[in-house]
Amino acid sequence: MPIATNSEKLDISLEDRTSELAKKISISLNKADVLLFHGEIGVGKTTFIKHLINNLQKLNNINQTEITSPTFNLVNEYDVGKFTVQHYDLYRLKNIDEIKNIGLLENRKEVLTLIEWPEKIERNIEDKIELFFEYNDDLSKRFLTIKNLKN
């Protein structure tokens, strides 16, 4: 089921709006889906992911857990009932060899994969959903554009 097509810029300046969009997307996700999160530090990627994972937990009557950025441990896993979510943050990685060592996409068909800083990956990932987070020129607003590449 398509999540979105090439969307317009959606205003996510308020966390309530970020939460609302994350919830809408979360109900369409399944194991084997891969979401790529692009954007500068502090633009809202991890906040969006927090709301997305917590909504999946809520939908499956699982206690909501604290969702943190896996910047230092590179990946966090969360049980959301029907499957596991693997949340990667590739910010600290310096080369492709480090990516090979973390098992990225090894269990793709069995988990929902969320990747922050996907530009560090040198290979193309098929059937992905890309989320582009950005600030406006004066940094007073945040926007999200979704590009669906799932077949």
Side-chain angles (χ1 to χ4, degrees), residues 33 39 74-75 77 82 95 100 106:
D33 287 339
L74 303 177
V75 62
E77 288 192 351
K82 297 177 183 175
N95 62 56
K100 292 175 187 173
E106 280 182 6

Side-chain angles (χ1 to χ4, degrees), residues 1 8 20 62 67 80 97 144:
M1 169 193 215
E8 62 195 59
E20 179 184 314
I62 294 175
I67 309 300
V80 295
D97 291 330
L144 170 61

Side-chain angles (χ1 to χ4, degrees), residues 126-142:
E126 295 183 15
D127 295 330
K128 62 192 173 236
I129 301 161
E130 293 190 276
L131 295 92
F132 296 88
F133 294 77
E134 62 183 303
Y135 291 106
N136 67 343
D137 290 338
D138 67 1
L139 307 179
S140 63
K141 291 189 180 263
R142 299 171 192 205

Side-chain angles (χ1 to χ4, degrees), residues 33-39 45 49 70 74 85-91 93 99 102 104-105 112-121 123 125 128-131 133:
D33 287 339
V34 176
L35 281 72
L36 306 180
F37 294 81
H38 301 270
K45 299 181 301 290
I49 290 169
L74 303 177
V85 175
Q86 290 183 337
H87 174 200
Y88 291 88
D89 184 331
L90 306 181
Y91 180 74
L93 298 184
I99 291 173
I102 63 173
L104 182 68
L105 301 173
L112 169 63
T113 306
L114 311 177
I115 305 171
E116 294 186 58
W117 303 97
E119 43 283 331
K120 302 256 182 167
I121 303 169
R123 67 180 179 146
I125 299 172
K128 62 192 173 236
I129 301 161
E130 293 190 276
L131 295 92
F133 294 77

Side-chain angles (χ1 to χ4, degrees), residues 30-112:
N30 297 295
K31 69 180 179 179
D33 287 339
V34 176
L35 281 72
L36 306 180
F37 294 81
H38 301 270
E40 299 175 47
I41 291 174
V43 75
K45 299 181 301 290
T46 303
T47 300
F48 187 93
I49 290 169
K50 173 186 82 166
H51 290 292
L52 187 139
I53 292 170
N54 282 161
N55 194 62
L56 287 169
Q57 291 170 328
K58 184 178 177 182
L59 289 171
N60 290 294
N61 297 314
I62 294 175
N63 289 333
Q64 295 179 22
T65 57
E66 181 179 354
I67 309 300
T68 59
S69 176
T71 302
F72 294 102
N73 36 335
L74 303 177
V75 62
N76 290 337
E77 288 192 351
Y78 302 95
D79 176 16
V80 295
K82 297 177 183 175
F83 50 86
T84 298
V85 175
Q86 290 183 337
H87 174 200
Y88 291 88
D89 184 331
L90 306 181
Y91 180 74
R92 290 185 325 114
L93 298 184
K94 293 176 182 35
N95 62 56
I96 194 69
D97 291 330
E98 291 178 302
I99 291 173
K100 292 175 187 173
N101 293 333
I102 63 173
L104 182 68
L105 301 173
E106 280 182 6
N107 299 324
R108 177 182 178 168
K109 299 295 181 194
E110 300 303 315
V111 300
L112 169 63

